[in-house]
Amino acid sequence: MSVNIRNPIGVIVDSFGVGVKEGLKKAKEVGAEGVQIYAVSGEMDPANLNAAARRELKAYIDSLGLEISALCGDLGGHGFQDKSVNVEKVEKSKRILDLALDLGTTIVTTHIGIVPEDRDGEVFAVMQEACRELNEYASSMKAYFAIETGPETAAHLKGFLDTLGGRGVSVNFDPANMVMVTGDDPAEGVRLLKDYVVHTHVKDGIRRKVVDPRMVYGALGYEPMDHAKIAEMVSTGQFFRELPLGEGNVDFDRYFTALKEIGYNGYLTIEREVGDQPETDIRKAVQFIKSYR
């Protein structure tokens, strides 16, 4: 390979579809060094984990020789576009970050909604207000809310982040989302967002047709896409298709080179959202990344 990397490898536990504890065991079995876990509802909802339960879970993760690369705190809907629900969503996001810190990570990944083109519009201002509050909270704890790339180009996302006054709201870089939805170049995106990249996904895919990002991610005043519809869109492959690593249009030589150039030494976390054999695909993905070592 043309680039040599030493980044630790992570896996999204939920990709296995077997629950948190079994998923943690699977992550260890496939050769991951860290894990990302959804922490929005169910057993990982911060409200359902008291101090003792958090200590027990952290001890269990430690016993497997794993660490948490990040928690996923994506609250769905339109992110932070809707002012009427933002107080509740911002508060929930803060509680997820508190949980992350208790479990030994400083990163919560999330979607904030599509950043509008109109900087003078109400939705831009509403999103900016919410993200500034999140930025302030995260910064006070030397932690990060990391926005997942995909709904907009890297340049447009950077323009928004630059208005927040800090790095408490940063970036979870997903190259496949860019390739599949916006058609943006992941390597150049990494370079543009170099000051903000705190976590990454390793995922692959192809784009078949130009698609309005609102069809994928939803937007205020536009029909939202729920997870079932997104899964259907991905599985049919009408507009784009997620594929196992190395089978899509993400140029991993260039992507990994760009991450190395900006000095990123954090996790490369494998995400597999579709497919009938997630464990098999994840095992192959771990080996794919290791081939660059």
Side-chain angles (χ1 to χ4, degrees), residues 8 65 178 184-185 236 265 292:
M178 285 191 158
D184 211 6
D185 178 357
T236 59
N265 57 11
Y292 282 85

Side-chain angles (χ1 to χ4, degrees), residues 85-99:
V85 296
N86 275 1
V87 170
E88 181 183 344
K89 281 190 166 185
V90 167
E91 190 62 27
K92 179 70 176 277
S93 296
K94 289 177 180 179
R95 299 295 75 80
I96 295 171
L97 184 59
D98 293 343
L99 174 62

Side-chain angles (χ1 to χ4, degrees), residues 125-137:
V126 167
M127 292 176 68
Q128 190 180 53
E129 180 183 13
C131 288
R132 280 178 172 166
E133 184 174 348
L134 292 175
N135 168 63
E136 185 177 341
Y137 189 76

Side-chain angles (χ1 to χ4, degrees), residues 25 37 52 54 62 81 140 183 197 236 264 291:
K25 291 178 186 175
I37 309 174
R54 295 177 187 206
D62 290 345
Q81 290 188 342
S140 72
V197 178
T236 59
Y264 176 75
S291 71

Side-chain angles (χ1 to χ4, degrees), residues 211-241:
V211 59
D212 185 333
R214 294 178 301 175
M215 286 186 66
V216 182
Y217 297 102
L220 199 65
Y222 190 93
E223 183 182 354
M225 290 294 287
D226 61 27
H227 288 296
K229 288 182 178 179
I230 292 171
E232 182 183 351
M233 182 183 287
V234 173
S235 63
T236 59
Q238 180 183 2
F239 295 103
F240 53 81
R241 189 175 179 189

Side-chain angles (χ1 to χ4, degrees), residues 112 114-120 124-125 127-128 131-132 147 149 152-166 169-171 178 184 189 191-196:
I112 62 167
I114 300 172
V115 178
E117 294 289 339
D118 182 9
R119 285 185 167 225
D120 297 320
F124 189 96
M127 292 176 68
Q128 190 180 53
C131 288
R132 280 178 172 166
I147 300 169
T149 54
E152 56 280 301
T153 64
H156 188 54
L157 180 58
K158 181 181 184 300
F160 177 77
L161 291 171
D162 286 345
T163 72
L164 302 181
V169 172
S170 282
V171 166
M178 285 191 158
D184 211 6
R191 294 183 180 102
L192 274 173
L193 292 165
K194 60 183 173 58
D195 294 332
Y196 295 105

